[in-house]
Amino acid sequence: MTVDDLGMAAPNNWAWATAGEFCARHGGSLQTGPFGSQLHASDYSAQGTPVVMPQDIDAGAVVVANIARVAPEHVVRLSRHVLAPGDVVFSRRGDVRRFAIIGTEEEGWLCGTGCLRLRIGDAPIVPGYLRWFFAHDAVGDWLERNAQGATMPNLNTMILSRLPLRFPPLPEQRRIAARSEERRVG
């Protein structure tokens, strides 16, 4: 067993890297959602493509009850912020523990203002394992300790790039994901 920078003990066969190293190895990326100057309040509409904002993130998933939407021309203009399955969206301000794992049902939606996107790339990662990992108290504690700002914690891509990631072999990821899903649903 080894203990990493998160304070998590894990078997020696679990891989680890910072989020930045992991993205570089697997063709992933870290990106800030569009700033207010790129996406204005007047751009939102009742119909169109959903935009994932921090208030739409809960318990590792996207909640669509009050989600904002934009017309197709804004999606084209902001195409670098389009979400793909397996992406992880984090709240950039305030409750920096908030994250959502993007599934196939959210494919093509936009990462919104106030969020950061972690794209895993071509790494063999089980989404349910990611949900379990990012929900771990040690990860949330690390994010809070490393966020900037005394009044309101803030994350940026540099901070997120230093986040230690731990990954077991795929069979173990599947086992953890299944057990975690049973607890979440049950």
Side-chain angles (χ1 to χ4, degrees):
M1 290 284 218
T2 58
V3 177
D4 61 19
D5 291 346
L6 293 171
M8 292 174 72
N12 293 333
N13 68 336
W14 285 33
W16 73 273
T18 65
E21 292 166 342
F22 191 82
C23 286
R25 280 187 211 152
H26 297 284
S29 61
L30 289 163
Q31 183 173 321
T32 303
F35 289 98
S37 59
Q38 296 172 302
L39 188 59
H40 303 89
S42 61
D43 294 334
Y44 296 110
S45 58
Q47 302 295 316
T49 300
V51 181
V52 179
M53 307 287 225
Q55 63 267 23
D56 305 315
I57 299 171
D58 186 43
V62 177
V63 178
V64 297
N66 297 309
I67 203 161
R69 297 174 182 274
V70 293
E73 62 267 18
H74 298 297
V75 177
V76 171
R77 181 174 58 83
L78 299 168
S79 62
R80 66 186 291 211
H81 301 287
V82 170
L83 296 169
D87 285 351
V88 185
V89 178
F90 292 88
S91 174
R92 193 165 57 91
R93 297 183 294 261
D95 184 359
V96 295
R97 289 177 177 256
R98 282 184 177 216
F99 73 93
I101 306 297
I102 301 303
T104 55
E105 58 278 0
E106 294 104 9
E107 183 172 11
W109 294 11
L110 287 178
C111 178
T113 302
C115 291
L116 293 167
R117 185 201 71 214
L118 167 62
R119 178 157 289 160
I120 294 298
D122 62 6
I125 302 297
V126 174
Y129 172 77
L130 284 177
R131 182 173 287 110
W132 172 85
F133 180 82
F134 288 118
H136 199 285
D137 283 340
V139 175
D141 292 347
W142 188 96
L143 291 167
E144 286 179 342
R145 275 193 319 274
N146 287 277
Q148 296 177 337
T151 306
M152 179 181 287
N154 285 275
L155 293 177
N156 58 43
T157 56
M158 289 299 286
I159 294 168
L160 202 54
S161 74
R162 295 190 312 260
L163 175 65
L165 304 178
R166 297 289 285 182
F167 297 101
L170 276 172
E172 181 70 4
Q173 286 184 43
R174 288 185 191 100
R175 188 183 68 71
I176 291 169
R179 208 172 57 215
S180 177
E181 184 63 20
E182 286 171 6
R183 285 186 191 129
R184 196 168 74 91
V185 174

